[in-house]
Amino acid sequence: MRALAFLLLLFVFGLSKEMNLKKVEDNIYMVRGVDELPSLENKGFVSNAYAILTKEGWVVIDTLSTPELSKKLLEQMYRVKKAPVKYAIITHYHPDHWYGAQTFKDVGAKIIAHRGLYELYKSGMAKSILEEANKNFGGLYKSVLLVEPDIVVDDYKKLKVGSEEFEIISMTPAHTNSDIVVYMPKRKVLFAGDLVYQKRIPFMADRNASSKGWEEALKKMKNMDIRIILGGHNDPMDKSAIDYTLGYITYLRQNIKKMKEEGKFIDEIKTALQDSPYKSDAMYGQFHNANIFKVDSELDLEP
Ligand SMILES: [Zn+2]
């Protein structure tokens, strides 16, 4: 009996890591990645993607980590409705948002991304990052083909698809140098990419990240009329998630700044910040120390 219960538990646990397209609300669907670093075991399913069904067809926001994952997503979208995919919008250049884009390009979607992603692609830097990531993660990204954006966003772009409106707004530099958010004004829904979290530590250590820019981006979002926030990770959030994220970033910046002024070295700062109010939140062990190092080096360059 106990063995049976154990097997059942394993089965349920196993299933919870499977991709499962869920309805968020009318015509908005999501898949929810796990709160882990990418691995062969989780197949890189560590981020969310969204699909919005309009009268003209689908709009996808973020494309998961691999073509295998995005094909699974597309199959599940087609099970809801076999309609054309009009656009795939990439919130920033990280693998878990961009590397599955080929699947949607193959079925005719126009790929939309920020100028920063386009430039990374054009410079060949994106290719080196892919090769490096594939090496570091045991071949996880071996079937990834990098996809060039068809439509490049500098600051702002408005899209109308069917009767839905999408405002694509640059928020960069923040998490990276290619961050965009997507706002549906009539529905007051914000797709925030990797800029907003709830009870999960943001990753601030990208070479192009700016903690100062990220604070400004969050303050801009605070002024927007938002009912629901759909992020690149996390379950659907309400607006209080903006305060949570801003709280963590400001906590790091202020504490590190103060300790630097007291003449403390990075190792002392790191030790002092191990016990923080955020220590029980998701991805703390994975991201917190890297964030401290990055913010410390950013502050060296700030006037
Ligand atoms: Zn990211």
Side-chain angles (χ1 to χ4, degrees):
M1 196 58 208
R2 193 173 290 171
L4 189 68
F6 179 69
L7 273 178
L8 198 68
L9 200 73
L10 261 185
F11 180 67
V12 172
F13 183 68
L15 267 188
S16 73
K17 287 198 173 185
E18 282 297 306
M19 190 183 294
N20 173 23
L21 189 69
K22 291 179 286 196
K23 188 171 175 175
V24 180
E25 58 179 50
D26 263 6
N27 298 323
I28 300 182
Y29 298 83
M30 77 179 285
V31 292
R32 166 74 158 99
V34 296
D35 289 309
E36 294 171 9
L37 292 176
S39 67
L40 293 175
E41 202 250 320
N42 63 33
K43 301 185 177 76
F45 184 39
V46 297
S47 55
N48 302 346
Y50 298 91
I52 300 102
L53 184 59
T54 75
K55 284 181 189 135
E56 280 182 30
W58 290 101
V59 174
V60 170
I61 298 177
D62 281 338
T63 62
L64 305 172
S65 297
T66 65
E68 290 81 6
L69 289 174
S70 54
K71 268 178 208 145
K72 238 187 230 179
L73 168 60
L74 182 64
E75 279 165 25
Q76 297 194 10
M77 286 161 54
Y78 281 168
R79 247 175 267 157
V80 175
K81 189 167 185 191
K82 184 91 209 266
V85 184
K86 306 293 288 182
Y87 300 98
I89 305 170
I90 318 293
T91 59
H92 61 291
Y93 73 71
H94 282 162
D96 50 332
H97 302 263
W98 181 25
Y99 284 4
Q102 182 70 32
T103 298
F104 301 106
K105 194 172 179 83
D106 285 346
V107 295
K110 293 257 180 291
I111 309 296
I112 304 179
H114 190 271
R115 171 83 49 199
L117 183 148
Y118 175 78
E119 277 166 7
L120 197 83
Y121 175 87
K122 281 289 175 198
S123 71
M125 181 83 99
K127 194 165 168 264
S128 336
I129 295 172
L130 168 59
E131 281 162 9
E132 182 82 14
N134 201 38
K135 237 183 280 164
N136 292 340
F137 292 96
L140 180 62
Y141 306 109
K142 61 181 183 298
S143 52
V144 171
L145 290 170
L146 293 174
V147 171
E148 178 174 353
D150 301 293
I151 299 169
V152 174
V153 178
D154 286 297
D155 298 312
Y156 178 89
K157 180 170 179 62
K158 198 168 187 168
L159 266 189
K160 201 160 184 261
V161 193
S163 52
E164 299 287 3
E165 278 173 25
F166 300 86
E167 292 180 26
I168 304 168
I169 308 162
S170 168
M171 288 285 174
T172 206
H175 174 64
T176 66
N177 61 349
S178 59
D179 305 302
I180 48 179
V181 299
V182 183
Y183 181 57
M184 296 179 78
K186 283 191 283 182
R187 289 171 170 253
K188 300 178 183 171
V189 173
L190 181 75
F191 298 90
D194 277 3
L195 297 182
V196 183
Y197 297 92
Q198 189 62 276
K199 293 278 171 201
R200 177 184 155 121
I201 301 301
F203 176 67
M204 300 164 65
D206 183 279
R207 71 192 88 182
N208 297 304
S210 163
S211 56
K212 197 173 188 201
W214 200 331
E215 283 183 324
E216 283 161 27
L218 289 164
K219 285 173 191 161
K220 264 184 236 163
M221 285 182 246
K222 257 175 98 94
N223 287 325
M224 292 169 72
D225 190 4
I226 296 166
R227 184 172 53 82
I228 173 169
I229 299 175
L230 302 174
H233 305 272
N234 277 114
D235 291 327
M237 296 170 271
D238 63 28
K239 221 176 162 180
S240 71
I242 296 175
D243 288 322
Y244 169 84
T245 314
L246 193 55
Y248 175 77
I249 294 172
T250 303
Y251 170 86
L252 275 196
R253 283 181 55 87
Q254 285 180 350
N255 279 286
I256 296 171
K257 198 170 188 176
K258 189 168 142 264
M259 283 188 263
K260 283 171 90 75
E261 281 162 6
E262 291 163 3
K264 292 214 168 71
F265 292 109
I266 180 66
D267 285 342
E268 297 170 276
I269 294 173
K270 201 189 100 188
T271 306
L273 290 177
Q274 283 323 287
D275 185 26
S276 82
Y278 298 91
K279 68 177 174 208
S280 60
D281 295 349
M283 304 309 277
Y284 192 79
Q286 291 92 331
F287 297 157
H288 183 62
N289 277 341
N291 292 345
I292 293 170
F293 279 107
K294 179 63 165 63
V295 170
D296 181 83
S297 67
E298 280 177 38
L299 287 171
D300 284 337
L301 301 171
E302 282 180 22

